[in-house]
Amino acid sequence: MFDTFKNRLEIEGKLTTVTALRIGAARSTEPIGSDLPVVKDVLGQPLIPGSSFKGALRSRLESFLRGILGSNPRLVANPAVNEEWCITAERMKKLKAEYTNDAQLTEAILKKTDLISHLFGSPWVASKFQVRDLTVLPDNWFGQYQERDGVAIDRDTETAADGKLYDFQVVPGGTPFLFKAVVENAEDWELGLLMVGLHQFETEQIPLGGGRSRGLGVVKLEIEKMNWFDARKEGELTKTDPQKLIGYLKQLVGDQTPAFDDGKELKDDWVKALIDRLEQKVSTTAEVESKQNL
């Protein structure tokens, strides 16, 4: 799947906290300071792990696909439970025993891999989508962490439980973070899946971090650039155009900025490819269920 370079999408933008954000670090043991600090970089500035962003995005897209395709692990797996993977550990052992040729094994794995894992990866498939840790924009950060109080409630007395008062740290609303992500060797429908997920962040639909029931974690993504390079041949998307790729490499090692296309102009085409793919899956699933009920 990654043996041949086919395409690359570079996404840059800004993620701004709409409400206070709490992505917690380990409980503090310091005598002075917050009981529950937030994740910080080596300079003590707030940080949003790329894994937190990617995990929230994956979870939302999985919920969408379950609503469309149902809970069949072959189509929408649950990465948190081995028995609900599209390929369980036991099944993977059987595939490796059945296919001794690496290319044939890869092809068999991809055929059995659920839609989300094609883009986000799994224990047996590398991710095509990478998100950098989101660092705060330095011109807008002056160390303004907020401290908030919390308390555990005794359900019997409906009052504060003894010894359960604590404080926790949050990053205030209005704090901007740099967002950078890269996708390589993605199919058009996979890019469509990503566009749907990013749109959820653009419209403040996916919260991040803890304390969501308190109203924390609302964020807004603004995509500023989507640089797209496609080395595939026109009309033959399974093959690459050598001259395109040579030109791209010349620009990379020279003083020129590579000639990218504007990915924003292709969003509708990618989303259409996703819709076509999902409609095909829905139709196939309906046919299988109909035969089973006969």
Side-chain angles (χ1 to χ4, degrees):
M1 181 171 61
F2 286 96
D3 289 342
T4 304
F5 179 86
K6 296 178 181 178
N7 56 53
R8 179 180 174 91
L9 177 65
E10 299 177 358
I11 307 171
E12 293 187 18
K14 179 174 67 175
L15 185 81
T16 304
T17 58
V18 177
T19 62
L21 172 69
R22 168 165 174 73
I23 298 180
R27 190 179 185 90
S28 176
T29 58
E30 297 294 327
I32 298 176
S34 175
D35 295 327
L36 300 172
V38 297
V39 172
K40 302 179 181 71
D41 63 17
V42 294
L43 300 177
Q45 297 178 337
L47 176 78
I48 300 176
S51 58
S52 295
F53 183 96
K54 187 177 177 182
L57 178 60
R58 178 173 187 152
S59 179
R60 175 55 59 92
L61 289 173
E62 285 173 343
S63 69
F64 281 159
L65 293 194
R66 286 192 189 97
I68 297 171
L69 302 172
S71 299
N72 184 344
R74 295 285 297 274
L75 299 175
V76 190
N78 179 4
V81 181
N82 177 60
E83 290 73 18
E84 297 179 21
W85 290 353
C86 58
I87 304 177
T88 63
E90 185 62 31
R91 179 57 180 152
M92 180 58 69
K93 290 180 181 178
K94 293 180 179 179
L95 286 174
K96 289 181 177 180
E98 183 178 353
Y99 297 96
T100 55
N101 179 279
D102 186 63
Q104 293 177 344
L105 175 61
T106 299
E107 183 179 356
I109 290 173
L110 291 179
K111 283 183 178 179
K112 297 179 182 298
T113 296
D114 65 282
L115 299 179
I116 293 290
S117 294
H118 273 275
L119 178 63
F120 286 84
S122 67
W124 53 86
V125 176
S127 174
K128 299 179 181 181
F129 177 48
Q130 296 90 39
V131 182
R132 287 190 188 180
D133 288 343
L134 284 73
T135 53
V136 71
L137 293 176
D139 292 342
N140 301 88
W141 178 251
F142 307 100
Q144 59 272 34
Y145 290 109
Q146 295 177 350
E147 305 288 339
R148 297 194 180 185
D149 293 326
V151 64
I153 301 298
D154 187 310
R155 286 343 189 229
D156 294 326
T157 64
E158 297 184 356
T159 59
D162 291 338
K164 297 299 183 181
L165 182 65
Y166 61 93
D167 59 64
F168 60 94
Q169 198 172 58
V170 297
V171 178
T175 304
F177 291 81
L178 178 64
F179 174 78
K180 286 190 175 184
V182 172
V183 190
E184 284 192 351
N185 290 355
E187 302 294 336
D188 287 356
W189 69 266
E190 294 168 346
L191 293 167
L193 189 64
L194 179 59
M195 294 303 107
V196 170
L198 293 179
H199 183 264
Q200 289 285 290
F201 273 110
E202 290 177 298
T203 53
E204 304 176 18
Q205 299 299 308
I206 303 180
L208 291 176
R212 299 177 191 180
S213 63
R214 301 170 181 259
L216 304 182
V218 179
V219 295
K220 181 178 179 62
L221 176 64
E222 298 173 69
I223 295 177
E224 296 164 357
K225 290 192 297 184
M226 289 178 59
N227 293 330
W228 170 247
F229 173 74
D230 192 354
R232 296 174 295 181
K233 286 186 176 181
E234 296 290 340
E236 294 183 87
L237 298 183
T238 59
K239 299 179 180 179
T240 57
D241 185 329
Q243 294 307 313
K244 277 187 182 180
L245 194 48
I246 289 172
Y248 175 73
L249 294 177
K250 283 182 178 178
Q251 292 170 333
L252 279 180
V253 299
D255 295 330
Q256 294 177 287
T257 300
F260 291 107
D261 293 324
D262 186 356
K264 292 182 179 181
E265 297 180 358
L266 299 170
K267 286 174 64 175
D268 290 345
D269 293 336
W270 292 336
V271 172
K272 183 181 182 305
L274 170 66
I275 298 302
D276 291 343
R277 177 89 173 194
L278 292 178
E279 288 179 341
Q280 179 186 17
K281 290 291 184 181
V282 169
S283 176
T284 302
T285 301
E287 289 179 7
V288 171
E289 292 177 348
S290 176
K291 290 179 180 179
Q292 290 175 344
N293 292 329
L294 291 177

